[in-house]
Amino acid sequence: MVKKLSLLIVAMMMVLTASAQFEQGKKYISASFSGLDFNYNGTSDLNVGFQAKGGYLVDDNLMLLGILGYNHIGGDDNTPDRFSIGAQGRYYIIQNGIYLGLGATYRHGNHKYNDIMPSVELGYAFFINRTVTIEPALYYEQSIKDHSKYSNVGLRLGLGIYLF
């Protein structure tokens, strides 16, 4: 009984300390990695991507993010590597770190590839300490140009830092 009560107290303390993590005015930086067959689209064999994000909590649990990205794409049809720039809104659903992100990116690659990609993301900010997180996320990016060929479904793994 004492063991269960101790575990309950520790769990409650963790919830109480986590509640201040997503408060208004905090700044955020992140780098994330996707690929090595963690995502799929209709044209590629290997897709390795990197994203850098910077954000600001405009209200409690609500963050606005700017995104820069690069994707290396392998395939038989000479699909170009892509650079992207975009924005995302992120809402922390509950104070334990689960979040929903909605955004859009502009993608550009050689061979005259240009596309707008609205996206949705469901992730979890797992705090290693008070400011550093590991953030796994599932995402879907819908291509405006050709949804069957360029839309992506995947898993992204990021490392985030919440600054005061």
Side-chain angles (χ1 to χ4, degrees):
M1 178 67 175
V2 173
K3 203 180 226 183
K4 289 181 182 179
L5 185 57
S6 301
L7 198 58
L8 178 63
I9 290 171
V10 168
M12 287 174 49
M13 289 173 62
M14 288 174 66
V15 169
L16 291 175
T17 58
S19 67
Q21 300 296 334
F22 310 115
E23 61 192 13
Q24 181 179 2
K26 283 193 176 182
K27 295 172 184 71
Y28 169 82
I29 56 173
S30 170
S32 61
F33 178 75
S34 66
L36 294 180
D37 297 327
F38 279 37
N39 75 29
Y40 172 79
N41 70 38
T43 65
S44 64
D45 297 327
L46 172 68
N47 187 336
V48 178
F50 177 78
Q51 279 190 339
K53 296 179 182 179
Y56 183 75
L57 279 146
V58 295
D59 199 6
D60 288 353
N61 300 325
L62 183 61
M63 182 186 299
L64 295 180
L65 297 154
I67 302 168
L68 292 174
Y70 171 76
N71 283 65
H72 169 73
I73 299 167
D76 295 335
D77 66 347
N78 243 354
T79 305
D81 288 356
R82 301 174 188 158
F83 296 93
S84 60
I85 187 167
Q88 183 183 50
R90 182 184 282 186
Y91 179 73
Y92 292 90
I93 299 169
I94 50 180
Q95 284 292 325
N96 68 1
I98 295 173
Y99 65 85
L100 177 64
L102 296 173
T105 56
Y106 169 75
R107 294 224 172 138
H108 173 73
N110 57 3
H111 308 298
K112 298 182 181 178
Y113 172 81
N114 293 299
D115 201 354
I116 304 277
M117 310 246 337
S119 64
V120 62
E121 178 178 48
L122 178 64
Y124 178 67
F126 176 75
F127 279 86
I128 298 171
N129 61 27
R130 289 192 65 212
T131 58
V132 179
T133 58
I134 294 176
E135 298 180 347
L138 296 171
Y139 66 92
Y140 176 71
E141 299 171 323
Q142 175 71 43
S143 172
I144 300 296
K145 184 175 186 158
D146 184 350
H147 67 86
S148 65
K149 195 173 181 181
Y150 296 114
S151 296
N152 294 311
V153 175
L155 173 67
R156 183 175 291 127
L157 184 62
L159 182 67
I161 301 172
Y162 291 78
L163 305 170
F164 296 99

